[in-house]
Amino acid sequence: RNRPSVIMWSLCNEVLCEGFNAVTAQKLKPIVQELDPQGQRPVTAAMNGGYGTAFQDVLDVMGVNYHIDQYDRLHSGHPNQP
């Protein structure tokens, strides 16, 4: 009865994101998309810093942990990125 759903794929979470950069994300994103049976789920990362970098530009959805005060600034810099 329980039907869990995958709505997006995450490349990393918080501390693990600190070792990531745009080059790493650009290598992993196509692999994730290829392995996705639907081939259309967005790619995200739950970041706790490193905002405004090229890594963020690779993501379809920007994950911001803890920094509520950054939401408006980040969104205004990337208005088409949820």
Side-chain angles (χ1 to χ4, degrees):
R1 292 185 180 172
N2 188 1
R3 299 179 191 265
S5 298
V6 175
I7 61 168
M8 64 182 87
W9 298 106
S10 181
L11 296 180
C12 59
N13 184 41
E14 295 184 4
V15 173
L16 296 175
C17 287
E18 292 176 12
F20 276 64
N21 58 31
V23 173
T24 304
Q26 287 170 337
K27 288 179 183 177
L28 288 175
K29 187 175 178 180
I31 295 169
V32 169
Q33 291 171 326
E34 181 180 325
L35 295 173
D36 182 358
Q38 300 299 317
Q40 56 190 325
R41 293 180 181 98
V43 174
T44 188
M47 297 176 68
N48 185 23
Y51 311 122
T53 64
F55 176 54
Q56 178 182 345
D57 295 334
V58 177
L59 304 174
D60 300 314
V61 177
M62 175 65 177
V64 179
N65 288 358
Y66 311 114
H67 300 273
I68 295 170
D69 60 319
Q70 301 280 331
Y71 289 175
D72 290 335
R73 182 183 68 80
L74 292 168
H75 185 64
S76 67
H78 295 83
N80 298 319
Q81 184 181 45

